[in-house]
Amino acid sequence: MEFGICVASRPGDLDYVVEAESLGFTHCWMADSQMIWSDVYAMLALAAERTTTMQLGTGVAVAGTRPSSVTAAALATINELAPGRVFCGIGSGNTAMRIMGHKPMPIAEFDRYLTELRSLLDGDETTVHFRGADTPVRHLMPDHGFVRFEPRIPVHVSAFGPRSLELAARHGDGLISSAPADPDIIAALRGRIDRPRDEFAFSNLTTIVVTEDGEPHDSERVRRQAGAFAIAAVHYAYDQYAQFGRRPPAHMADFWPDYVALVEETAPELRHQRVHQGHNCWVLPEEEPFLTAELIDRSCLVGTPVELATRIADLEAAGLDQIVVLPPLAEKDAVIRDVATKVIPLL
């Protein structure tokens, strides 16, 4: 099992990336959400200068906010700074698009975008759809130090449902998801990818809290370290409810009416600015009551070192290749040190 970190892009946290590399984390997935965090490519450029071994990439880049040619040029620029250490995580924009009041990119558009992006990242000419026209596009000066297409930049497609999983299998070198840490669910997702495991990586976003013997899974410390990631699952459930009318997962049912009432105190035209406040960084005080032990357990990996090592081994056997850890800002250093010193040595 490999371990990566996902970083809510912020220039002041570069020392954290360096620390994660020194602790043995293999990948840095730099988050891309333009209206809540810093620019992802500026951050990757800085991280490229501060690291030597860690793989660096977008976690995940948002197809709907940049033409495929812009995404390809940005990643190929980072590959010039850190040759062979660059990967592309790419998604349709579940957060970044919604916080601007727009829906994620439709599947058919995402399919076309991935086709374009793969060709452009290979340095090839391809037909790009832009502003209503289809035109042949290629980088005109790839051999003069502006960009680097070799070593090849792998693409990890963010996917959750059957249609997006099909795109990941067809276009990607890997899948990046955020599924519950349940071996049956992991095995089912892996089973939908008709690709050899040694050719197609499966990474899963979560966070990890290492507990003491007997420590409750909703202790004050666990809530501090797991809360931001757990409550982000509620934000996502609300998006699905608002757009598609989908019912929340059963473990959210008890508090769901109160949560909806809280969000809908905000006027509809501004609600897209309310839902993702604090997203994966902290928990708003008014959302603390929704942070139940069951929500934490369904969203995060929580347990003693031995319990976590057993669970992680089961996830690996089910088909998972990398756990991507996303702790809250205030607790991030403590979380990755605990994982590196107390859990990884048991695997």
Side-chain angles (χ1 to χ4, degrees):
M1 181 71 73
E2 292 183 314
F3 287 83
I5 57 167
C6 183
V7 179
S9 303
R10 187 172 68 165
D13 290 335
L14 283 167
D15 287 346
Y16 167 67
V17 177
V18 174
E19 179 187 19
E21 182 181 63
S22 72
L23 289 170
F25 288 82
T26 58
H27 291 67
C28 173
W29 300 70
M30 198 70 72
D32 178 23
S33 204
Q34 68 287 334
M35 289 292 101
I36 51 177
W37 298 319
S38 304
D39 180 75
V40 64
Y41 294 109
M43 287 295 300
L44 284 171
L46 293 169
E49 295 296 300
R50 294 284 305 278
T51 57
T52 57
T53 61
M54 180 177 269
Q55 298 288 306
L56 304 171
T58 46
V60 295
V62 180
T65 57
R66 300 177 188 88
S68 57
S69 54
V70 175
T71 299
L75 287 159
T77 301
I78 308 302
N79 205 33
E80 179 66 28
L81 297 173
R85 294 200 289 128
V86 178
F87 64 90
C88 170
I90 185 77
S92 61
N94 273 299
T95 301
M97 297 295 287
R98 293 186 193 281
I99 61 177
M100 296 193 299
H102 294 274
K103 297 175 183 177
M105 179 179 275
I107 286 290
E109 290 183 33
F110 194 36
D111 187 2
R112 180 172 58 199
Y113 189 99
L114 291 170
T115 301
E116 298 170 3
L117 181 63
R118 180 67 271 169
S119 293
L120 292 167
L121 286 176
D122 288 336
D124 297 334
E125 181 174 284
T126 192
T127 299
V128 171
H129 183 82
F130 182 62
R131 299 183 71 178
D134 295 313
T135 55
V137 173
R138 64 181 175 88
H139 200 287
L140 300 182
M141 299 187 290
D143 301 320
H144 299 275
F146 299 109
V147 293
R148 183 188 294 264
F149 297 113
E150 294 288 343
R152 184 176 183 271
I153 299 171
V155 173
H156 301 259
V157 179
S158 176
F160 301 91
R163 296 173 68 195
S164 56
L165 285 165
E166 188 275 328
L167 296 187
R170 182 150 47 87
H171 294 289
D173 302 285
L175 165 68
I176 173 69
S177 194
S178 187
D182 180 322
D184 291 339
I185 294 174
I186 296 300
L189 290 171
R190 170 63 79 175
R192 287 185 172 273
I193 305 295
D194 187 21
R195 299 275 297 278
R197 184 168 179 176
D198 60 356
E199 296 178 5
F200 190 91
F202 181 1
S203 305
N204 200 55
L205 181 68
T206 185
T207 199
I208 299 176
V209 181
V210 184
T211 61
E212 303 292 337
D213 288 335
E215 182 177 8
H217 287 198
D218 60 350
S219 72
E220 192 275 335
R221 186 181 70 88
V222 172
R223 289 166 67 90
R224 285 201 321 269
Q225 295 191 349
F229 191 87
I231 210 72
V234 184
H235 300 168
Y236 177 77
Y238 180 82
D239 285 335
Q240 299 300 298
Y241 163 78
Q243 182 175 346
F244 303 110
R246 291 175 181 162
R247 296 175 61 84
H251 60 277
M252 299 182 192
D254 286 347
F255 63 73
W256 188 251
D258 292 335
Y259 177 78
V260 171
L262 174 67
V263 172
E264 295 185 354
E265 289 175 0
T266 302
E269 65 272 17
L270 295 175
R271 203 167 289 160
H272 61 280
Q273 297 181 7
R274 166 61 183 80
V275 177
H276 295 279
Q277 283 283 346
H279 186 74
N280 279 318
C281 294
W282 54 76
V283 180
L284 299 180
E286 60 268 31
E287 294 186 347
E288 285 280 354
F290 310 122
L291 200 55
T292 64
E294 188 176 13
L295 175 66
I296 291 171
D297 277 334
R298 290 298 300 267
S299 308
C300 312
L301 276 166
V302 180
T304 65
V306 171
E307 289 169 343
L308 287 169
T310 300
R311 291 185 67 188
I312 290 167
D314 290 343
L315 293 172
E316 185 172 23
L320 189 63
D321 300 303
Q322 183 182 156
I323 293 174
V324 183
V325 182
L326 176 52
L329 291 181
E331 297 286 335
K332 61 188 185 302
D333 296 280
V335 168
I336 64 168
R337 280 196 300 269
D338 278 352
V339 173
T341 61
K342 298 177 182 179
V343 179
I344 293 177
L346 299 181
L347 297 170

